[in-house]
Amino acid sequence: MKKQRKEEHDIQGEAKRLLLVVAASFIMALNINSFIHAGNLIPGGFNGITLLIQQIGDVFFQIKIPYTVVNLLLNAIPVFISFKFIGKKFTGYSCLMIVLSGILTDILPGYAVTQDILLVCVFGGIINAFAISLCLFAHATSGGTDFIAIFFSEKYGIDTWNYIFVGNVLILLIAGALFGWTEALYSIIFQFTSTQVLHQIYKHYQKETLFIITEKPEEVYVEIKNITNHDATLFKGIGCYKKQECNMLYSVVGRDEIRKVVAKIREVDDHAFINTMKTEQITGRFYKRPND
């Protein structure tokens, strides 16, 4: 019975992943053909490089270059790195996202929602972040620089999305030098919007440090362990005001887990003093949920 339930749960999980990837591919393609093309924007990442190559072929060589072919070639090396270091299923679903979004970009019509370039940048960036987030929630990626960001997050515990934004700005500067600065500068607004919205929606690779002063350290630790599978360290100290011995638990958890952890701590000890701090980088052993 347990084995059957596990198999049913696994099937439901894979179906959910597939549905999220298909939805993300459709939204990504629609966004490219509507908002991005409407504003002549370069979205950054490998999608941006692909569109840049398409523009170069069209403007300088009068050649129509298929989006799918270029995008697949650019993603070949990141796909290999992902397969070797991140996970096979993760890479498989990511490849599905890359291929499907490329095909849909080539065949779906575009819809000019608005001619206001600033609205195109802001709302196009929001939709782009939403599509990438759906993909990440499916434990996959939209390809290119997302592979690189996740690789460094997995291997070194670094939240790299803002570093990827800097790399995307360099791509946009090249586009500005070739095709004019107006669209390139607006593209930076698009990319900045997308990066910041993505940062708010998807918090899996962001970390929070917890300092908890509590009279029930064992019960609090059990809740942290059960929710996050992370350990904690107990420090004994003296409270300066009452001059009494106190207990402080130190732990690092994912930012996407912090609300649930704090709520459970409050249930165990409603007098607990909890301090949370953003963690920029961690080294050493830290449990990571497998992408596969």
Side-chain angles (χ1 to χ4, degrees):
M1 183 63 71
K2 288 184 178 179
K3 185 178 180 181
Q4 185 179 354
R5 286 180 180 175
K6 184 179 184 301
E7 288 176 353
E8 290 176 356
H9 183 267
D10 290 343
I11 291 171
Q12 290 175 357
E14 296 302 319
K16 182 181 177 182
R17 290 179 75 176
L18 180 61
L19 182 63
L20 286 172
V21 168
V22 171
S25 301
F26 181 81
I27 294 169
M28 180 77 73
L30 202 60
N31 191 44
I32 290 172
N33 287 341
S34 299
F35 285 92
I36 292 173
H37 283 166
N40 290 320
L41 303 177
I42 302 294
F46 281 19
N47 288 337
I49 296 173
T50 302
L51 292 173
L52 182 59
I53 291 172
Q54 282 187 307
Q55 284 191 22
I56 291 171
D58 188 32
V59 173
F60 294 105
F61 302 101
Q62 289 73 52
I63 300 172
K64 295 291 183 182
I65 301 173
Y67 180 93
T68 305
V69 174
V70 178
N71 203 32
L72 287 176
L73 290 173
L74 289 174
N75 277 285
I77 294 176
V79 164
F80 173 77
I81 293 172
S82 174
F83 185 83
K84 188 172 182 180
F85 295 104
I86 301 178
K88 296 179 178 62
K89 284 186 180 180
F90 175 89
T91 306
Y93 280 107
S94 300
C95 288
L96 175 63
M97 172 70 184
I98 294 165
V99 173
L100 189 57
S101 62
I103 293 172
L104 290 172
T105 299
D106 283 334
I107 65 175
L108 285 178
Y111 300 94
V113 178
T114 177
Q115 298 301 319
D116 189 313
I117 187 67
L118 189 57
L119 290 177
V120 167
C121 292
V122 173
F123 284 95
I126 292 171
I127 294 170
N128 187 64
F130 179 67
I132 294 173
S133 297
L134 286 180
C135 204
L136 291 171
F137 284 128
H139 301 294
T141 177
S142 58
T145 50
D146 291 353
F147 276 127
I148 298 168
I150 290 174
F151 170 74
F152 278 100
S153 296
E154 289 281 333
K155 194 170 182 63
Y156 301 108
I158 304 172
D159 183 15
T160 56
W161 298 106
N162 283 327
Y163 296 106
I164 296 298
F165 169 69
V166 173
N168 289 334
V169 169
L170 295 177
I171 296 170
L172 298 174
L173 292 177
I174 294 171
L178 290 174
F179 301 109
W181 292 105
T182 301
E183 287 80 8
L185 293 175
Y186 274 120
S187 295
I188 292 175
I189 297 175
F190 168 91
Q191 190 60 44
F192 179 79
T193 302
S194 180
T195 301
Q196 296 310 309
V197 172
L198 177 62
H199 216 70
Q200 294 301 314
I201 296 175
Y202 191 74
K203 301 180 179 181
H204 178 68
Y205 292 106
Q206 301 173 45
K207 305 293 185 293
E208 290 274 354
T209 298
L210 281 167
F211 294 98
I212 309 154
I213 297 175
T214 175
E215 295 177 356
K216 302 177 180 178
E218 287 300 325
E219 293 92 329
V220 169
Y221 166 68
V222 168
E223 295 298 339
I224 294 172
K225 182 72 173 176
N226 289 341
I227 295 169
T228 69
N229 207 33
H230 295 310
D231 203 356
T233 301
L234 175 63
F235 294 92
K236 296 286 186 178
I238 302 295
C240 293
Y241 181 70
K242 292 185 177 181
K243 306 301 181 184
Q244 295 178 350
E245 186 178 271
C246 60
N247 308 292
M248 185 180 75
L249 280 172
Y250 162 84
S251 186
V252 180
V253 303
R255 187 169 292 180
D256 56 336
E257 303 164 324
I258 196 71
R259 286 188 180 180
K260 192 172 182 180
V261 170
V262 170
K264 279 293 183 181
I265 293 171
R266 287 291 179 212
E267 287 181 16
V268 171
D269 182 1
D270 58 356
H271 296 296
F273 181 84
I274 307 168
N275 182 23
T276 64
M277 299 173 62
K278 182 180 178 181
T279 302
E280 292 293 340
Q281 182 178 353
I282 57 173
T283 57
R285 295 181 62 185
F286 185 81
Y287 172 77
K288 300 183 183 71
R289 292 193 185 97
N291 283 300
D292 282 354

